[in-house]
């Protein structure tokens, strides 16, 4: 593994990656089946879908119904991949996902695009801060927060044959590339991006680049910060969390969703039992979403490098 982060947007968007990796999965596995909720264009899948009606269907603006169709396909031996914007494949379809799919022991790979502030101009109705909490409480579920196109390319094929509900949240745009193209990922195992001795930044998804930038700023202030990418939120890497908590004695979680039921809550439950240390979070507080450009939204909800540095300094002085 090599960290290639350079502070600039990647030349490849995650949307472009999805438009290639999903067809590749379906070509290799005739039982893979792609379902979308009238958002084929958002993943660049329209042309492929028209050419492969035997492995895809546009279910329209009806996520709950789409999950029902996916469960029917799963019952017939197919491996469904379902996509919609994050709020609609979580809130709108939650009962069907919980009962029809999970409770009935059917396996689905679920793609929730543009979670949290990455929804930008689609506004508060399209801005899920609670999707992680919802999917995390489904028994046997797997929850993954993707940070770049390399991770998506390597993670999605692994999920197809995994049992249970696998929820992958991701932004569609060209966010900074963190990992080299040859990086491999093991679901449930964290990636150590930077070693440190005084504080640990446990980060997931879209905020990974901000955590790396914050660590650089903290180093300039004489503070050694470890950065650990917990891209799998469930099952969480308990061993890594406890190891770095013991080593540094202070932990900040960094996440593009609500701290209630999100990464902070999950990490706190681990450390409260196994290794109590000083903790804080950089996450969305008890708020609904808003509309605007990404810079404005990150500042409004405190999801910035400066917020991480500020919270870290306050924690270490507490």
């Amino acid at each position: 593994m090599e960290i290639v982060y350079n502070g600039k947007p990647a030349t490849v968007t995650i949307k472009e990656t999805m438009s290639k990796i999903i067809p590749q999965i379906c070509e290799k596995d005739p039982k893979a089946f792609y379902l979308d909720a009238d958002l084929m264009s958002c993943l660049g899948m329209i042309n492929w879908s028209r050419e492969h009606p035997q492995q895809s269907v546009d279910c329209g603006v009806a996520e709950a119904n789409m999950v029902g169709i996916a469960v029917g396909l799963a019952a017939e031996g197919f491996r469904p991949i379902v996509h919609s914007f994050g709020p609609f494949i979580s809130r709108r379809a939650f009962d069907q996902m919980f009962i029809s799919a999970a409770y009935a022991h059917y396996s689905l790979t679920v793609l929730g695009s543009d979670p949290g502030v990455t929804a930008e101009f689609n506004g508060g109705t399209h801005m899920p801060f609670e999707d992680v909490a919802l999917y995390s409480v489904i028994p046997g579920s797997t929850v993954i927060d993707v940070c770049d196109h390399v991770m998506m390319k390597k993670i999605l094929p692994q999920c197809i044959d995994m049992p249970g509900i696998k929820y992958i949240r991701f932004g569609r745009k060209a966010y900074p590339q963190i990992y080299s193209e040859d990086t491999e990922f093991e679901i449930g195992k964290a990636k150590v991006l930077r070693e440190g001795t005084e504080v640990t930044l446990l980060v997931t998804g879209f905020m990974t680049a901000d955590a790396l930038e914050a660590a650089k700023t903290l180093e300039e202030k004489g503070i050694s910060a470890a950065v650990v990418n917990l891209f799998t939120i469930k099952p969480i890497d308990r061993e890594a969390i406890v190891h770095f908590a013991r080593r540094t004695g202070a932990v900040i979680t960094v996440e593009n969703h609500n701290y209630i039921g999100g990464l902070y809550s999950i990490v706190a439950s681990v450390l409260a039992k196994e290794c109590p240390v000083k903790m804080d979070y950089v996450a969305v507080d008890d708020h609904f979403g808003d509309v605007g450009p990404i810079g404005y939204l990150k500042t409004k909800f405190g999801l910035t490098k400066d917020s991480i540095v500020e919270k870290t300094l306050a924690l270490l002085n507490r």
Side-chain angles (χ1 to χ4, degrees), residues 44 66 94 259 263:
M66 178 172 67
F94 185 71
Y259 80 97
L263 182 64

Side-chain angles (χ1 to χ4, degrees), residues 56-73:
S56 65
V57 62
D58 189 335
C59 299
V61 186
E63 283 81 2
N65 186 55
M66 178 172 67
V67 173
I69 295 170
V71 169
L73 287 165

Side-chain angles (χ1 to χ4, degrees), residues 219-269:
E219 184 178 36
E220 293 169 0
K221 296 178 179 293
I223 297 170
S224 175
V227 180
V228 180
N229 184 199
L230 289 171
F231 63 91
T232 309
I233 301 176
K234 183 189 177 187
I236 201 77
D237 190 343
R238 303 175 71 92
E239 183 178 348
I241 293 170
V242 172
H243 169 77
F244 278 94
R246 285 176 175 159
R247 182 175 182 181
T248 63
V251 169
I252 300 274
T253 61
V254 183
E255 53 197 308
N256 173 33
H257 40 78
N258 198 304
Y259 80 97
I260 302 172
L263 182 64
Y264 175 77
S265 296
I266 294 170
V267 170
S269 69

Side-chain angles (χ1 to χ4, degrees), residues 20-30 32 55 81 156-157 160:
K20 296 177 181 178
I21 193 67
I22 294 174
Q24 288 173 5
I25 290 170
C26 291
E27 182 179 354
K28 292 179 181 178
D29 184 355
Q55 281 185 283
I81 304 168
L156 182 54
I160 303 304

Side-chain angles (χ1 to χ4, degrees), residues 17-300:
T17 299
M18 301 297 282
S19 70
K20 296 177 181 178
I21 193 67
I22 294 174
Q24 288 173 5
I25 290 170
C26 291
E27 182 179 354
K28 292 179 181 178
D29 184 355
K31 287 294 187 179
F33 199 104
Y34 177 69
L35 303 93
D36 207 308
D38 199 34
L39 296 171
M40 289 277 189
S41 62
C42 293
L43 293 188
M45 294 294 292
I46 286 181
N47 291 335
W48 177 87
S49 177
R50 288 171 178 166
E51 296 169 358
H52 297 83
Q54 77 282 3
Q55 281 185 283
S56 65
V57 62
D58 189 335
C59 299
V61 186
E63 283 81 2
N65 186 55
M66 178 172 67
V67 173
I69 295 170
V71 169
L73 287 165
E76 292 299 315
F78 287 91
R79 299 178 181 86
I81 304 168
V82 299
H83 166 252
S84 187
F85 287 149
F88 308 132
I89 200 60
S90 57
R91 292 195 305 259
R92 184 175 291 173
F94 185 71
D95 190 56
Q96 287 74 19
M97 194 69 68
F98 194 100
I99 298 297
S100 300
Y103 182 76
H105 300 292
Y106 290 114
S107 299
L108 306 182
T109 300
V110 185
L111 305 176
S113 58
D114 291 355
V117 296
T118 64
E120 294 194 84
F121 290 101
N122 278 335
T125 59
H126 287 56
M127 199 164 288
F129 296 143
E130 68 292 321
D131 55 330
V132 169
L134 288 170
Y135 273 98
S136 291
V137 297
I138 297 177
S141 64
T142 298
V143 179
I144 297 169
D145 202 356
V146 167
C147 68
D148 69 5
H149 72 276
V150 176
M151 182 180 290
M152 178 60 85
K153 183 167 61 176
K154 300 296 181 68
I155 286 291
L156 182 54
Q158 293 184 49
C159 289
I160 303 304
D161 292 324
M162 287 178 57
I165 304 302
K166 295 86 59 174
Y167 178 62
I168 306 174
R169 70 194 313 258
F170 63 98
R172 291 176 293 136
K173 295 184 178 180
Y175 299 114
Q177 182 175 344
I178 306 299
Y179 297 100
S180 61
E181 295 288 343
D182 62 350
T183 303
E184 298 297 333
F185 301 89
E186 182 180 351
I187 294 174
K189 293 294 183 182
K191 287 288 191 185
V192 180
L193 305 184
R194 183 183 177 116
E195 294 285 355
T197 59
E198 295 176 76
V199 64
T200 301
L201 305 179
L202 298 175
V203 63
T204 190
F206 168 71
M207 293 296 294
T208 304
D210 294 272
L212 287 169
E213 290 290 344
K216 292 179 184 177
T217 301
L218 289 167
E219 184 178 36
E220 293 169 0
K221 296 178 179 293
I223 297 170
S224 175
V227 180
V228 180
N229 184 199
L230 289 171
F231 63 91
T232 309
I233 301 176
K234 183 189 177 187
I236 201 77
D237 190 343
R238 303 175 71 92
E239 183 178 348
I241 293 170
V242 172
H243 169 77
F244 278 94
R246 285 176 175 159
R247 182 175 182 181
T248 63
V251 169
I252 300 274
T253 61
V254 183
E255 53 197 308
N256 173 33
H257 40 78
N258 198 304
Y259 80 97
I260 302 172
L263 182 64
Y264 175 77
S265 296
I266 294 170
V267 170
S269 69
V270 172
L271 294 180
K273 182 177 181 180
E274 300 189 35
C275 181
V277 296
K278 293 191 293 186
M279 281 194 69
D280 206 343
Y281 61 84
V282 172
V284 177
D285 281 308
D286 198 19
H287 301 302
F288 292 108
D290 198 355
V291 61
I294 196 71
Y296 161 77
L297 293 168
K298 289 180 69 177
T299 299
K300 173 172 182 174

